[in-house]
């Protein structure tokens, strides 16, 4: 992903947890308040609808406006009013509009921000509005927008997605006696490689960033650790495997497999990788493009492989979506437009302009995403690797909606203490689960 996209992801994660704790009762946003009634469907794609995106102007103005123009040509009785909102304060504006009854008809949401609206009954169930649509989208992306306790309801059309991949330095692998042609495939093997890298570095470089918040709960899920119980109403990750993960992280940290400062603050991983200070780069196809543009020599040494998966065989997906206001006056037009934006051709065109992927299955099947070239160009290979993984990606390594920003912070606080040697791993995991369940109860997720 680009740095801009990474910033947007961080912003969404930062605010989403706070929004989930909102207790106002306006417009059905308070806990236990009644859902809004669904707007009337007429069967006609007509009327004036609003469409909100997040920080796409001015870079993608031409593309988005072209999609709108083509839709209006197809449906002359419909009009789309596009508003693009800056990243700063996006989610605050979202909740304020929801409270005021001023949500757009079609709104750009992430997997974090959509939950607030969907869980309070503010978004239309697109699986109900558009029967059969599930087969048109990548399963992992479609499933992202379900909610616990809502059955088979899906509360947003998947839009563009970013898959997890593995990036690493061929040179630092070889210096550590590792074969660049045989990258790690499981969390446990990834840690083994990190230990080898640290042992051979002489303190000159590390293997990966500590970043517990970025690694959890994904690592635990890949190791087969259940995060929630069967009812999805309580965290149950306090297990021997989770304790072993914390113990291994502490051991690797002590051995220099991670930069010491990366445990408590977020360094520029691009800069560290570009300077030869870490062996594993960020797990994003967009990172490969950044390195190509900004550090050509490092790019030439960069290799790409499938993401570390583990026993589940699944990867993490970051997805953007288009939610539809449930009580909108022109539900048919809003549904048709969201479907238009997320169709195969439109998603492919967008993906060629940015380092993103279609959630639309037909779009993902486009030859653009399968071409590996001669296998030497990391960006081309990264695009193909990401696309291939997306086709079969499941949800196991994606963050559950109950794992809010506050939950992540609470877990990380305890894990950090253990990694620094301030408490044992078992105590850290136990206390983390206790805090996570308190937060789950407080936000009304039970």
């Amino acid at each position: 992903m680009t740095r801009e996209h990474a910033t947007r992801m961080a912003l969404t994660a930062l605010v989403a947890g706070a929004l989930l704790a909102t207790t106002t009762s306006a417009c059905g946003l308070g806990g236990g308040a009644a859902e809004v009634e669904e707007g009337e469907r007429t069967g006609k794609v007509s009327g004036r609808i609003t469409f909100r995106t997040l920080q796409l102007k001015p870079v993608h103005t031409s593309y988005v406006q072209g999609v709108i123009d083509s839709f209006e040509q197809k449906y002359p009785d419909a009009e789309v009013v596009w508003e693009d909102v800056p990243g700063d304060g996006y989610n605050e504006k979202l909740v304020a509009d929801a409270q005021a009854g001023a949500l757009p008809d079609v709104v750009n949401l992430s997997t974090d921000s959509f939950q607030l609206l969907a869980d309070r009954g503010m978004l239309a169930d697109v699986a109900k509005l558009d029967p059969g649509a599930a087969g048109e989208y990548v399963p992992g992306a479609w499933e992202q927008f379900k909610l616990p306790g809502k059955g088979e309801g899906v509360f947003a059309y998947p839009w563009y997605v970013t898959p997890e991949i593995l990036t690493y330095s061929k040179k630092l692998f070889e210096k550590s006696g590792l074969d660049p042609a045989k990258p790690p495939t499981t969390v446990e093997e990834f840690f083994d490689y990190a230990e080898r890298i640290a042992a051979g570095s002489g303190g000159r470089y590390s293997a990966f960033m500590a970043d517990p918040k970025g690694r959890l709960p994904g690592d635990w899920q890949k190791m087969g650790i259940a995060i929630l119980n069967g009812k999805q109403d309580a965290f149950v990750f306090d297990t021997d495997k989770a304790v072993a993960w914390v113990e291994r992280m502490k051991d690797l940290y002590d051995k220099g497999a991670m930069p010491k400062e990366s445990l408590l603050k977020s360094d520029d991983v691009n800069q560290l990788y570009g300077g030869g200070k870490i062996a594993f780069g960020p797990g994003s196809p967009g990172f490969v493009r950044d390195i190509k543009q900004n550090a050509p020599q490092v790019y030439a040494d960069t290799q790409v492989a499938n993401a570390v998966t583990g026993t589940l065989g699944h990867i993490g997906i970051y997805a953007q979506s288009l939610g539809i206001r449930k009580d909108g006056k022109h539900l048919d037009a809003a549904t048709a437009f969201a479907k238009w934006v997320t169709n195969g051709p439109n998603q492919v065109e967008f993906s060629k302009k940015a380092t993103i992927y279609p959630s639309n299955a037909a779009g993902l099947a486009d030859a653009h995403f399968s071409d590996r070239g001669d296998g030497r160009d990391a960006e081309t290979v990264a695009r193909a690797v990401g696309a291939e993984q997306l086709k079969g990606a499941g949800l196991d390594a994606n963050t559950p909606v109950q794992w809010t920003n506050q939950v992540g912070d609470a877990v990380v606080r305890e894990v950090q203490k253990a990694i620094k040697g301030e408490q044992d791993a078992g105590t850290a995991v136990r206390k983390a689960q206790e805090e996570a369940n308190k937060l789950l109860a407080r936000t009304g997720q039970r």
Side-chain angles (χ1 to χ4, degrees):
M1 71 189 68
T2 63
R3 287 189 178 90
E4 174 187 357
H5 189 54
T7 299
R8 289 168 58 185
M9 287 177 62
L11 172 71
T12 299
L14 178 67
V15 182
L19 294 182
L20 290 171
T22 301
T23 57
T24 178
S25 61
C27 297
L29 286 175
E35 294 188 358
V36 299
E37 293 186 8
E38 186 167 289
E40 182 182 356
R41 301 197 68 182
T42 65
K44 297 180 179 179
V45 180
S46 62
R48 191 171 188 257
I49 61 172
T50 52
F51 173 44
R52 178 181 296 170
T53 56
L54 170 58
Q55 205 167 299
L56 293 183
K57 291 181 178 180
V59 176
H60 300 294
T61 297
S62 178
Y63 165 75
V64 176
Q65 191 59 56
V67 171
I68 292 172
D69 291 345
S70 61
F71 176 78
E72 291 178 338
Q73 288 173 7
K74 183 176 177 64
Y75 300 103
D77 292 331
E79 179 186 359
V80 179
V81 178
W82 176 30
E83 59 178 54
D84 188 68
V85 179
D88 291 340
Y90 183 76
N91 284 309
E92 292 96 325
K93 179 173 176 55
L94 179 68
V95 72
D97 286 346
Q99 292 170 350
L103 276 179
D105 296 285
V106 179
V107 58
N108 182 183
L109 302 168
S110 70
T111 48
D112 296 305
S113 58
F114 106 100
Q115 182 192 354
L116 174 70
L117 304 182
D119 201 36
R120 272 63 174 183
M122 301 297 292
L123 299 178
D125 180 354
V126 300
K128 178 182 175 183
L129 292 177
D130 189 8
E136 300 178 34
Y137 296 89
V138 176
W142 180 257
E143 296 284 327
Q144 284 268 18
F145 299 101
K146 290 185 175 181
L147 283 177
K150 299 288 186 177
E152 293 302 307
V154 176
F155 299 93
Y157 280 106
W159 194 7
Y160 56 92
V161 297
T162 304
E164 178 187 7
I165 63 172
L166 187 70
T167 60
Y168 56 97
S169 165
K170 177 182 177 182
K171 179 172 66 177
L172 295 187
F173 259 50
E174 291 174 338
K175 282 186 176 182
S176 306
L178 298 169
D179 184 353
K182 297 179 179 179
T185 60
T186 67
V187 173
E188 294 84 354
E189 193 173 33
F190 179 86
F191 285 163
D192 290 343
Y193 276 47
E195 186 168 0
R196 288 275 300 274
I197 291 167
S201 74
R204 295 184 301 276
Y205 51 88
S206 301
F208 65 101
M209 304 294 283
D211 188 23
K213 189 168 186 178
R215 303 198 67 84
L216 296 176
D219 273 11
W220 286 351
Q221 290 165 304
K222 292 175 181 181
M223 294 168 66
I225 298 169
I227 303 302
L228 294 156
N229 64 6
K231 293 182 179 180
Q232 306 283 290
D233 62 0
F235 288 106
V236 294
F237 54 75
D238 183 4
T239 63
D240 290 343
K241 280 188 176 182
V243 172
W245 181 91
V246 176
E247 291 174 338
R248 192 74 193 277
M249 283 283 286
K250 180 187 185 313
D251 182 57
L252 290 171
Y253 185 73
D254 291 342
K255 291 177 177 177
M258 300 163 252
K260 295 296 182 183
E261 63 277 6
S262 70
L263 180 63
L264 299 176
K265 68 186 185 74
S266 181
D267 288 326
D268 187 340
V269 64
N270 289 30
Q271 185 176 3
L272 289 174
Y273 181 86
K277 297 299 184 181
I278 55 172
F280 290 100
S284 158
F287 160 73
V288 180
R289 174 178 284 189
D290 279 353
I291 289 294
K292 184 176 185 178
Q293 294 173 345
N294 301 316
Q297 290 183 330
V298 176
Y299 174 76
D301 183 55
T302 297
Q303 294 200 193
V304 177
N306 288 348
V308 168
T309 56
T311 56
L312 299 174
H314 293 163
I315 65 168
I317 303 172
Y318 176 77
Q320 290 281 335
S321 67
L322 295 181
I324 298 173
R325 177 175 174 169
K326 185 177 180 180
D327 61 348
K329 295 180 179 179
H330 305 290
L331 206 55
D332 296 283
T335 303
F337 180 69
K339 189 71 174 290
W340 180 262
V341 175
T342 61
N343 70 25
N346 283 329
Q347 288 211 42
V348 169
E349 183 182 353
F350 196 11
S351 299
K352 290 180 178 179
K353 298 178 182 297
T355 312
I356 54 177
Y357 293 75
S359 62
N360 184 281
L364 192 61
D366 188 274
H368 173 71
F369 301 102
S370 59
D371 180 16
R372 290 177 177 250
D374 61 6
R376 298 178 182 177
D377 180 66
E379 183 182 9
T380 303
V381 174
R383 183 169 60 242
V385 167
E388 186 61 33
Q389 292 190 124
L390 275 173
K391 291 176 182 177
L395 280 176
D396 304 72
N398 287 320
T399 302
V401 293
Q402 295 90 336
W403 188 285
T404 62
N405 192 60
Q406 291 109 319
V407 168
D409 286 342
V411 172
V412 167
R413 279 194 297 271
E414 301 304 328
V415 168
Q416 285 174 335
K417 292 176 187 177
I419 293 175
K420 289 188 293 181
E422 296 175 359
Q423 65 182 355
D424 65 85
T427 299
V429 175
R430 174 180 56 79
K431 290 172 66 176
Q433 181 173 293
E434 290 173 355
E435 289 302 312
N437 278 322
K438 288 178 183 177
L439 288 165
L440 186 61
R442 193 179 305 162
T443 56
Q445 293 297 312
R446 292 193 171 187

mmCIF file of all heavy atoms in Angstrom, residues 98-138:
data_model
loop_
_atom_site.group_PDB
_atom_site.id
_atom_site.type_symbol
_atom_site.label_atom_id
_atom_site.label_comp_id
_atom_site.label_asym_id
_atom_site.label_seq_id
_atom_site.Cartn_x
_atom_site.Cartn_y
_atom_site.Cartn_z
ATOM 1 N N ALA A 98 -24.472 10.391 11.434
ATOM 2 C CA ALA A 98 -25.425 9.344 11.810
ATOM 3 C C ALA A 98 -26.360 9.842 12.905
ATOM 4 O O ALA A 98 -27.571 9.621 12.875
ATOM 5 C CB ALA A 98 -24.674 8.102 12.267
ATOM 6 N N GLN A 99 -25.806 10.558 13.875
ATOM 7 C CA GLN A 99 -26.615 11.103 14.966
ATOM 8 C C GLN A 99 -27.622 12.125 14.460
ATOM 9 O O GLN A 99 -28.728 12.239 14.978
ATOM 10 C CB GLN A 99 -25.701 11.738 16.008
ATOM 11 C CG GLN A 99 -24.847 10.730 16.766
ATOM 12 C CD GLN A 99 -23.777 11.397 17.608
ATOM 13 O OE1 GLN A 99 -23.538 12.594 17.492
ATOM 14 N NE2 GLN A 99 -23.108 10.625 18.445
ATOM 15 N N ALA A 100 -27.225 12.861 13.434
ATOM 16 C CA ALA A 100 -28.078 13.923 12.899
ATOM 17 C C ALA A 100 -29.022 13.447 11.801
ATOM 18 O O ALA A 100 -29.781 14.237 11.249
ATOM 19 C CB ALA A 100 -27.201 15.054 12.357
ATOM 20 N N GLY A 101 -28.958 12.154 11.473
ATOM 21 C CA GLY A 101 -29.796 11.638 10.396
ATOM 22 C C GLY A 101 -29.358 12.130 9.033
ATOM 23 O O GLY A 101 -30.174 12.281 8.126
ATOM 24 N N ALA A 102 -28.056 12.386 8.878
ATOM 25 C CA ALA A 102 -27.550 12.974 7.641
ATOM 26 C C ALA A 102 -26.509 12.097 6.950
ATOM 27 O O ALA A 102 -25.628 12.592 6.254
ATOM 28 C CB ALA A 102 -26.945 14.344 7.936
ATOM 29 N N LEU A 103 -26.619 10.776 7.128
ATOM 30 C CA LEU A 103 -25.682 9.882 6.445
ATOM 31 C C LEU A 103 -25.854 9.981 4.932
ATOM 32 O O LEU A 103 -26.980 10.140 4.439
ATOM 33 C CB LEU A 103 -25.920 8.432 6.869
ATOM 34 C CG LEU A 103 -25.272 7.919 8.141
ATOM 35 C CD1 LEU A 103 -25.677 6.472 8.352
ATOM 36 C CD2 LEU A 103 -23.763 8.052 8.090
ATOM 37 N N PRO A 104 -24.763 9.850 4.171
ATOM 38 C CA PRO A 104 -24.892 9.783 2.711
ATOM 39 C C PRO A 104 -25.635 8.512 2.303
ATOM 40 O O PRO A 104 -25.714 7.549 3.075
ATOM 41 C CB PRO A 104 -23.435 9.739 2.235
ATOM 42 C CG PRO A 104 -22.624 10.203 3.381
ATOM 43 C CD PRO A 104 -23.371 9.805 4.616
ATOM 44 N N ASP A 105 -26.153 8.502 1.088
ATOM 45 C CA ASP A 105 -26.851 7.300 0.598
ATOM 46 C C ASP A 105 -25.883 6.142 0.387
ATOM 47 O O ASP A 105 -26.213 4.989 0.647
ATOM 48 C CB ASP A 105 -27.567 7.619 -0.718
ATOM 49 C CG ASP A 105 -28.659 8.650 -0.533
ATOM 50 O OD1 ASP A 105 -29.721 8.282 0.003
ATOM 51 O OD2 ASP A 105 -28.442 9.816 -0.899
ATOM 52 N N VAL A 106 -24.685 6.458 -0.106
ATOM 53 C CA VAL A 106 -23.638 5.460 -0.310
ATOM 54 C C VAL A 106 -22.371 6.014 0.330
ATOM 55 O O VAL A 106 -21.941 7.118 0.000
ATOM 56 C CB VAL A 106 -23.392 5.182 -1.806
ATOM 57 C CG1 VAL A 106 -22.283 4.144 -1.985
ATOM 58 C CG2 VAL A 106 -24.682 4.711 -2.488
ATOM 59 N N VAL A 107 -21.785 5.248 1.272
ATOM 60 C CA VAL A 107 -20.666 5.787 2.043
ATOM 61 C C VAL A 107 -19.505 4.802 2.081
ATOM 62 O O VAL A 107 -19.684 3.603 2.286
ATOM 63 C CB VAL A 107 -21.117 6.165 3.477
ATOM 64 C CG1 VAL A 107 -21.694 4.967 4.206
ATOM 65 C CG2 VAL A 107 -19.987 6.797 4.261
ATOM 66 N N ASN A 108 -18.309 5.338 1.865
ATOM 67 C CA ASN A 108 -17.065 4.571 1.907
ATOM 68 C C ASN A 108 -16.727 4.234 3.368
ATOM 69 O O ASN A 108 -16.567 5.122 4.189
ATOM 70 C CB ASN A 108 -15.974 5.436 1.271
ATOM 71 C CG ASN A 108 -14.609 4.775 1.195
ATOM 72 O OD1 ASN A 108 -13.668 5.411 0.743
ATOM 73 N ND2 ASN A 108 -14.465 3.519 1.585
ATOM 74 N N LEU A 109 -16.623 2.937 3.667
ATOM 75 C CA LEU A 109 -16.347 2.483 5.027
ATOM 76 C C LEU A 109 -15.228 1.451 5.029
ATOM 77 O O LEU A 109 -15.073 0.692 4.071
ATOM 78 C CB LEU A 109 -17.595 1.849 5.648
ATOM 79 C CG LEU A 109 -18.852 2.711 5.730
ATOM 80 C CD1 LEU A 109 -20.059 1.849 6.080
ATOM 81 C CD2 LEU A 109 -18.673 3.817 6.759
ATOM 82 N N SER A 110 -14.485 1.390 6.107
ATOM 83 C CA SER A 110 -13.508 0.325 6.305
ATOM 84 C C SER A 110 -14.150 -0.769 7.145
ATOM 85 O O SER A 110 -15.276 -0.621 7.633
ATOM 86 C CB SER A 110 -12.277 0.866 7.031
ATOM 87 O OG SER A 110 -12.613 1.164 8.372
ATOM 88 N N THR A 111 -13.436 -1.860 7.349
ATOM 89 C CA THR A 111 -13.975 -2.930 8.183
ATOM 90 C C THR A 111 -14.186 -2.464 9.615
ATOM 91 O O THR A 111 -15.014 -3.021 10.334
ATOM 92 C CB THR A 111 -13.024 -4.140 8.181
ATOM 93 O OG1 THR A 111 -11.689 -3.683 8.423
ATOM 94 C CG2 THR A 111 -13.065 -4.866 6.855
ATOM 95 N N ASP A 112 -13.448 -1.447 10.042
ATOM 96 C CA ASP A 112 -13.626 -0.906 11.384
ATOM 97 C C ASP A 112 -14.823 0.043 11.451
ATOM 98 O O ASP A 112 -15.716 -0.119 12.276
ATOM 99 C CB ASP A 112 -12.369 -0.152 11.828
ATOM 100 C CG ASP A 112 -11.161 -1.055 11.957
ATOM 101 O OD1 ASP A 112 -11.260 -2.044 12.696
ATOM 102 O OD2 ASP A 112 -10.146 -0.782 11.308
ATOM 103 N N SER A 113 -14.837 1.026 10.573
ATOM 104 C CA SER A 113 -15.838 2.074 10.693
ATOM 105 C C SER A 113 -17.241 1.612 10.314
ATOM 106 O O SER A 113 -18.220 2.169 10.795
ATOM 107 C CB SER A 113 -15.450 3.289 9.839
ATOM 108 O OG SER A 113 -15.288 2.946 8.487
ATOM 109 N N PHE A 114 -17.349 0.573 9.491
ATOM 110 C CA PHE A 114 -18.682 0.127 9.103
ATOM 111 C C PHE A 114 -19.429 -0.503 10.268
ATOM 112 O O PHE A 114 -20.662 -0.490 10.331
ATOM 113 C CB PHE A 114 -18.590 -0.861 7.920
ATOM 114 C CG PHE A 114 -18.839 -2.293 8.287
ATOM 115 C CD1 PHE A 114 -20.073 -2.887 8.059
ATOM 116 C CD2 PHE A 114 -17.843 -3.062 8.869
ATOM 117 C CE1 PHE A 114 -20.308 -4.210 8.403
ATOM 118 C CE2 PHE A 114 -18.059 -4.376 9.214
ATOM 119 C CZ PHE A 114 -19.304 -4.959 8.985
ATOM 120 N N GLN A 115 -18.677 -1.059 11.230
ATOM 121 C CA GLN A 115 -19.322 -1.793 12.302
ATOM 122 C C GLN A 115 -20.251 -0.920 13.134
ATOM 123 O O GLN A 115 -21.337 -1.344 13.521
ATOM 124 C CB GLN A 115 -18.280 -2.435 13.213
ATOM 125 C CG GLN A 115 -18.904 -3.266 14.328
ATOM 126 C CD GLN A 115 -17.907 -3.651 15.393
ATOM 127 O OE1 GLN A 115 -16.717 -3.402 15.260
ATOM 128 N NE2 GLN A 115 -18.397 -4.249 16.463
ATOM 129 N N LEU A 116 -19.827 0.293 13.416
ATOM 130 C CA LEU A 116 -20.635 1.185 14.236
ATOM 131 C C LEU A 116 -22.031 1.353 13.657
ATOM 132 O O LEU A 116 -23.032 1.285 14.362
ATOM 133 C CB LEU A 116 -19.967 2.555 14.348
ATOM 134 C CG LEU A 116 -20.787 3.618 15.072
ATOM 135 C CD1 LEU A 116 -20.883 3.293 16.555
ATOM 136 C CD2 LEU A 116 -20.215 4.999 14.850
ATOM 137 N N LEU A 117 -22.096 1.549 12.341
ATOM 138 C CA LEU A 117 -23.384 1.787 11.693
ATOM 139 C C LEU A 117 -24.177 0.499 11.517
ATOM 140 O O LEU A 117 -25.374 0.447 11.769
ATOM 141 C CB LEU A 117 -23.162 2.465 10.343
ATOM 142 C CG LEU A 117 -22.381 3.773 10.369
ATOM 143 C CD1 LEU A 117 -22.292 4.360 8.961
ATOM 144 C CD2 LEU A 117 -23.027 4.777 11.306
ATOM 145 N N ALA A 118 -23.486 -0.545 11.085
ATOM 146 C CA ALA A 118 -24.195 -1.805 10.819
ATOM 147 C C ALA A 118 -24.752 -2.409 12.096
ATOM 148 O O ALA A 118 -25.888 -2.901 12.125
ATOM 149 C CB ALA A 118 -23.248 -2.789 10.137
ATOM 150 N N ASP A 119 -23.976 -2.370 13.164
ATOM 151 C CA ASP A 119 -24.402 -2.990 14.404
ATOM 152 C C ASP A 119 -25.569 -2.245 15.032
ATOM 153 O O ASP A 119 -26.306 -2.803 15.840
ATOM 154 C CB ASP A 119 -23.223 -3.038 15.380
ATOM 155 C CG ASP A 119 -23.403 -4.082 16.460
ATOM 156 O OD1 ASP A 119 -23.957 -5.147 16.144
ATOM 157 O OD2 ASP A 119 -23.008 -3.827 17.609
ATOM 158 N N ARG A 120 -25.762 -0.989 14.663
ATOM 159 C CA ARG A 120 -26.885 -0.187 15.165
ATOM 160 C C ARG A 120 -28.025 -0.117 14.159
ATOM 161 O O ARG A 120 -28.953 0.662 14.318
ATOM 162 C CB ARG A 120 -26.417 1.231 15.509
ATOM 163 C CG ARG A 120 -25.902 1.408 16.931
ATOM 164 C CD ARG A 120 -24.692 0.603 17.224
ATOM 165 N NE ARG A 120 -24.129 0.887 18.542
ATOM 166 C CZ ARG A 120 -23.015 0.335 18.982
ATOM 167 N NH1 ARG A 120 -22.341 -0.503 18.239
ATOM 168 N NH2 ARG A 120 -22.561 0.623 20.189
ATOM 169 N N GLY A 121 -27.931 -0.924 13.100
ATOM 170 C CA GLY A 121 -29.036 -1.006 12.149
ATOM 171 C C GLY A 121 -29.157 0.163 11.207
ATOM 172 O O GLY A 121 -30.231 0.432 10.666
ATOM 173 N N MET A 122 -28.046 0.873 10.944
ATOM 174 C CA MET A 122 -28.089 2.044 10.071
ATOM 175 C C MET A 122 -27.811 1.723 8.603
ATOM 176 O O MET A 122 -28.078 2.551 7.728
ATOM 177 C CB MET A 122 -27.062 3.087 10.548
ATOM 178 C CG MET A 122 -27.260 3.569 11.972
ATOM 179 S SD MET A 122 -28.832 4.424 12.215
ATOM 180 C CE MET A 122 -28.562 5.897 11.234
ATOM 181 N N LEU A 123 -27.272 0.541 8.337
ATOM 182 C CA LEU A 123 -26.908 0.164 6.972
ATOM 183 C C LEU A 123 -27.822 -0.937 6.450
ATOM 184 O O LEU A 123 -28.224 -1.845 7.183
ATOM 185 C CB LEU A 123 -25.454 -0.316 6.916
ATOM 186 C CG LEU A 123 -24.385 0.696 7.322
ATOM 187 C CD1 LEU A 123 -23.014 0.039 7.268
ATOM 188 C CD2 LEU A 123 -24.427 1.927 6.421
ATOM 189 N N ALA A 124 -28.133 -0.866 5.173
ATOM 190 C CA ALA A 124 -28.980 -1.872 4.547
ATOM 191 C C ALA A 124 -28.224 -3.182 4.390
ATOM 192 O O ALA A 124 -27.004 -3.198 4.188
ATOM 193 C CB ALA A 124 -29.450 -1.373 3.178
ATOM 194 N N ASP A 125 -28.935 -4.272 4.466
ATOM 195 C CA ASP A 125 -28.370 -5.604 4.247
ATOM 196 C C ASP A 125 -28.301 -5.846 2.738
ATOM 197 O O ASP A 125 -29.314 -6.095 2.096
ATOM 198 C CB ASP A 125 -29.267 -6.643 4.925
ATOM 199 C CG ASP A 125 -28.771 -8.068 4.754
ATOM 200 O OD1 ASP A 125 -27.792 -8.284 4.007
ATOM 201 O OD2 ASP A 125 -29.384 -8.971 5.355
ATOM 202 N N VAL A 126 -27.107 -5.762 2.174
ATOM 203 C CA VAL A 126 -26.989 -5.875 0.715
ATOM 204 C C VAL A 126 -27.222 -7.299 0.247
ATOM 205 O O VAL A 126 -27.594 -7.529 -0.916
ATOM 206 C CB VAL A 126 -25.623 -5.351 0.219
ATOM 207 C CG1 VAL A 126 -25.456 -3.879 0.586
ATOM 208 C CG2 VAL A 126 -24.465 -6.170 0.755
ATOM 209 N N ALA A 127 -27.031 -8.275 1.131
ATOM 210 C CA ALA A 127 -27.329 -9.657 0.749
ATOM 211 C C ALA A 127 -28.830 -9.833 0.540
ATOM 212 O O ALA A 127 -29.268 -10.650 -0.281
ATOM 213 C CB ALA A 127 -26.826 -10.619 1.828
ATOM 214 N N LYS A 128 -29.612 -9.037 1.266
ATOM 215 C CA LYS A 128 -31.066 -9.064 1.109
ATOM 216 C C LYS A 128 -31.502 -8.221 -0.078
ATOM 217 O O LYS A 128 -32.377 -8.619 -0.862
ATOM 218 C CB LYS A 128 -31.719 -8.552 2.394
ATOM 219 C CG LYS A 128 -33.233 -8.471 2.350
ATOM 220 C CD LYS A 128 -33.763 -7.896 3.669
ATOM 221 C CE LYS A 128 -35.266 -7.691 3.619
ATOM 222 N NZ LYS A 128 -35.776 -7.070 4.872
ATOM 223 N N LEU A 129 -30.889 -7.046 -0.237
ATOM 224 C CA LEU A 129 -31.246 -6.167 -1.346
ATOM 225 C C LEU A 129 -30.857 -6.764 -2.694
ATOM 226 O O LEU A 129 -31.518 -6.523 -3.703
ATOM 227 C CB LEU A 129 -30.542 -4.811 -1.195
ATOM 228 C CG LEU A 129 -30.960 -3.891 -0.051
ATOM 229 C CD1 LEU A 129 -30.090 -2.653 -0.044
ATOM 230 C CD2 LEU A 129 -32.433 -3.511 -0.189
ATOM 231 N N ASP A 130 -29.767 -7.529 -2.686
ATOM 232 C CA ASP A 130 -29.176 -8.004 -3.935
ATOM 233 C C ASP A 130 -28.872 -9.500 -3.838
ATOM 234 O O ASP A 130 -27.709 -9.913 -3.789
ATOM 235 C CB ASP A 130 -27.898 -7.202 -4.204
ATOM 236 C CG ASP A 130 -27.304 -7.456 -5.580
ATOM 237 O OD1 ASP A 130 -27.943 -8.143 -6.403
ATOM 238 O OD2 ASP A 130 -26.187 -6.967 -5.821
ATOM 239 N N PRO A 131 -29.916 -10.352 -3.799
ATOM 240 C CA PRO A 131 -29.704 -11.797 -3.685
ATOM 241 C C PRO A 131 -28.809 -12.313 -4.815
ATOM 242 O O PRO A 131 -28.954 -11.932 -5.956
ATOM 243 C CB PRO A 131 -31.123 -12.363 -3.800
ATOM 244 C CG PRO A 131 -32.017 -11.251 -3.385
ATOM 245 C CD PRO A 131 -31.356 -9.998 -3.877
ATOM 246 N N GLY A 132 -27.881 -13.162 -4.477
ATOM 247 C CA GLY A 132 -26.968 -13.700 -5.479
ATOM 248 C C GLY A 132 -25.681 -12.918 -5.621
ATOM 249 O O GLY A 132 -24.747 -13.355 -6.300
ATOM 250 N N ALA A 133 -25.605 -11.757 -4.972
ATOM 251 C CA ALA A 133 -24.402 -10.927 -5.110
ATOM 252 C C ALA A 133 -23.174 -11.583 -4.506
ATOM 253 O O ALA A 133 -22.042 -11.326 -4.945
ATOM 254 C CB ALA A 133 -24.629 -9.562 -4.458
ATOM 255 N N ALA A 134 -23.363 -12.439 -3.510
ATOM 256 C CA ALA A 134 -22.223 -13.052 -2.824
ATOM 257 C C ALA A 134 -21.281 -13.739 -3.800
ATOM 258 O O ALA A 134 -20.062 -13.671 -3.657
ATOM 259 C CB ALA A 134 -22.723 -14.055 -1.786
ATOM 260 N N GLY A 135 -21.826 -14.384 -4.816
ATOM 261 C CA GLY A 135 -21.004 -15.102 -5.773
ATOM 262 C C GLY A 135 -20.178 -14.212 -6.677
ATOM 263 O O GLY A 135 -19.286 -14.701 -7.390
ATOM 264 N N GLU A 136 -20.450 -12.925 -6.655
ATOM 265 C CA GLU A 136 -19.725 -12.003 -7.520
ATOM 266 C C GLU A 136 -18.479 -11.429 -6.866
ATOM 267 O O GLU A 136 -17.692 -10.735 -7.526
ATOM 268 C CB GLU A 136 -20.652 -10.856 -7.950
ATOM 269 C CG GLU A 136 -21.879 -11.324 -8.714
ATOM 270 C CD GLU A 136 -22.796 -10.175 -9.088
ATOM 271 O OE1 GLU A 136 -22.261 -9.075 -9.359
ATOM 272 O OE2 GLU A 136 -24.024 -10.361 -9.077
ATOM 273 N N TYR A 137 -18.279 -11.716 -5.577
ATOM 274 C CA TYR A 137 -17.172 -11.115 -4.844
ATOM 275 C C TYR A 137 -16.249 -12.191 -4.265
ATOM 276 O O TYR A 137 -16.652 -13.339 -4.067
ATOM 277 C CB TYR A 137 -17.706 -10.208 -3.732
ATOM 278 C CG TYR A 137 -18.475 -9.032 -4.275
ATOM 279 C CD1 TYR A 137 -19.850 -9.122 -4.523
ATOM 280 C CD2 TYR A 137 -17.833 -7.840 -4.594
ATOM 281 C CE1 TYR A 137 -20.559 -8.055 -5.061
ATOM 282 C CE2 TYR A 137 -18.536 -6.768 -5.128
ATOM 283 C CZ TYR A 137 -19.892 -6.882 -5.361
ATOM 284 O OH TYR A 137 -20.589 -5.821 -5.909
ATOM 285 N N VAL A 138 -15.021 -11.802 -4.013
ATOM 286 C CA VAL A 138 -14.069 -12.700 -3.366
ATOM 287 C C VAL A 138 -14.639 -13.085 -2.000
ATOM 288 O O VAL A 138 -15.016 -12.199 -1.218
ATOM 289 C CB VAL A 138 -12.706 -11.999 -3.196
ATOM 290 C CG1 VAL A 138 -11.743 -12.894 -2.427
ATOM 291 C CG2 VAL A 138 -12.129 -11.631 -4.557
#
